Amino acid sequence: MPGPTRNTRPPVHYRVEIGDLHAHLFRVTLTIAQPDALQRVSLPVWIPGSYLVREFSKNLQKLEARQAGNTPLRVEQLDKCSWQVQCSPARPLVLRYEVYANDNSVRTAWLDAHRGFFNGTSLCLRVQGREKAEHLLEVPAPKSLKGWSLATGLAPRDTNKQGFGSYAAADYDELVDCPVEMGAFWSGSFTARGVPHRVVVAGATASFDGARLLADTQKICETEIRFWHGAKKAPFRHYLFMLNAVDDGYGGLEHRNSTALICKRQDLPRVGEARSTEGYTTLRGLISHEYFHTWNVKRLRPAEFESYDYSGENYTRMLWFFEGFTSYYDDLFLRRAGLLDNAGYLKLLNKTINQVMQTPGRLVQSVAEASFDAWVKYYRQDENTPNATVSYYTKGSLVALCFDLTLRGEAREHRRAKAGTLDDVMRALWLRCKAGAMREADFAEELAAAGHRPYAAELARWVHGRDELPLKALLQQHGVAVLEEPAQLAHRLGLRVGESQGVVQVKTVLRGGAAERAGFAAGDEWLGLEPATKAAARGMDGGWRMSRLDDLMHYAGDAKKVIALVSRDKRLMRLELAMPPALTTWRLAVQDAALMDQWLGPKA
């Protein structure tokens, strides 16, 4: 979109300056060229892609307004995130304020002596009545910080070599969908299917192998663009990965032509290290996941998200598709890009399956319900979360797996040469919905077209029901051996614990397990154990102090019951624990490589 000339005042202009590094303060000047007589502004309460009301206005302070002649105007607060100013429409309205930025995540804003980062939803007041007008973002170069650069997905208007200057956005939605990274970051670039891509990494150490990260990311991007468009071009002109490497952290947030990522420094690839660590594999899966969102949720999106309401929750029952199916394809594309072999892919799939099967909430809540409840459950997890809810990411990915393997299996069984796979369904939805609003009915119709039959029963059971998914049968039909292995002790007990400095801390007590029947509660410190009977006392040789969970089996031996000594709110308690029976978990293995390759092997 052509921008105005240099002499034309933009309708909405933000100037973001570094106010105080050590106080973590950005200073923002908002100029509205032609304000309303009673101009209202507001700050979003959430950021698309992260379904929780985060109340960004809590970090906004010292809001003041002025007009021509530097005349101060009264600013009236209307609610938790909205303000209004009575002014003259004939003169520009200037608002100045500060934003506290001390959240080192991908969702809000951060500023210190080493790095700056912000999403527009945290810093940029929304000018009501001007949301569809062009917005200009100006970030001047900080004079006191040498070596800093700036990166963003916004279109540059007038910038220097380091990226500081002004950027244009067609409207408010685009402005807040392009976060900004600042600092002395590492930068590299590549081209994927004719599209320039840039990767910037903050916080990397001297051992970081940037060339390897670029090469692997390029393979992922080329595979995904080819999946969606074949030989055609991607729906964006350039793409930016912003990766923040920290001591401990993980996550990502998708945007229309960029993504913000966070990972552990130790998970970055290292110079001279050819093998792929588990952490680096996880990082590549995150890159794949967020990049896939460029299509699946940023463009092809739930009908409820066709127009965002930034003032409150935006509900949808479709996150099982937009997050869950993306979670299915993220690791699958690592396999198709040649970054994993079949065994490596099965290891990741195995982890997801066991996570879901060890979550009692899968029998309590459907993935459609979990999608709707994301605002109050998934993003507000507590000790009861595994008992009450299921992740639309993990179970949603298994729902995708079931649909994909069902389509492939029925095509092979009925020898339908033109039968489709889930790949075909995804591409058909992209064309059907014109890369826009999608409903579950659209998915159902494209499934039926690909599989030559309706799939209403599967949608009812797998998406809206709480039945177990037919994973074992489907995997076995596609060359995967499903083996049973002894479960770890925590799973057998129905516990999730933390172990630190010789203390076993109970984090979660799972529904229906031996620990719940014994009376354990989240927050208990498990101190030790005693024999439950005199006969057992001879075998156990008295009581024992525990410093880790595995001590239980070491000291209990073959006892059928023990007395668990716990501390709850500083009160000592004795709980009779019946030793649980042996349980098993799954281990997936390659049984028929040729059959698996029909599913995993073909390039997208």
Side-chain angles (χ1 to χ4, degrees), residues 186-331:
W186 177 94
S187 178
S189 60
F190 61 85
T191 299
R193 311 289 290 182
V195 178
H197 289 62
R198 184 184 183 191
V199 180
V200 300
V201 182
T205 63
S207 65
F208 167 53
D209 188 347
R212 185 180 181 191
L213 180 66
L214 288 177
D216 290 349
T217 304
Q218 182 182 32
K219 292 176 182 177
I220 293 168
C221 295
E222 289 179 340
T223 302
E224 295 195 13
I225 293 173
R226 186 169 57 247
F227 170 84
W228 286 104
H229 304 292
K232 296 180 181 179
K233 293 183 178 180
F236 44 88
R237 296 180 179 178
H238 53 87
Y239 195 91
L240 172 65
F241 291 95
M242 293 168 281
L243 175 58
N244 181 25
V246 297
D247 180 60
D248 187 17
Y250 173 82
L253 190 60
E254 68 276 0
H255 298 280
R256 64 180 62 194
N257 66 347
S258 65
T259 184
L261 309 166
I262 189 168
C263 75
K264 294 181 180 180
R265 290 189 187 94
Q266 66 186 38
D267 291 344
L268 293 173
R270 300 176 187 177
V271 174
E273 186 177 66
R275 70 184 185 92
S276 292
T277 64
E278 183 176 343
Y280 183 45
T281 297
T282 300
L283 172 58
R284 291 184 299 191
L286 176 65
I287 290 170
S288 177
H289 182 100
E290 301 304 336
Y291 194 66
F292 195 78
H293 271 317
T294 311
W295 293 268
N296 195 38
V297 89
K298 295 311 298 182
R299 290 171 173 81
L300 184 65
R301 62 171 66 180
E304 298 87 347
F305 290 178
E306 190 169 11
S307 178
Y308 292 123
D309 176 4
Y310 294 103
S311 65
E313 295 88 344
N314 290 219
Y315 294 101
T316 178
R317 288 182 168 82
M318 291 285 290
L319 294 182
W320 57 269
F321 179 89
F322 290 97
E323 291 292 354
F325 280 41
T326 300
S327 296
Y328 171 62
Y329 276 105
D330 55 21
D331 290 337

Side-chain angles (χ1 to χ4, degrees), residues 523-525 527 566-573:
D524 287 351
E525 292 182 1
L527 305 177
V566 304
S567 171
R568 182 181 304 166
D569 192 28
K570 302 300 182 182
R571 177 177 293 178
L572 296 178
M573 304 176 65

Side-chain angles (χ1 to χ4, degrees), residues 531 536-544 555:
R538 290 191 293 272
M540 288 181 62
D541 194 22
W544 293 92
Y555 296 134

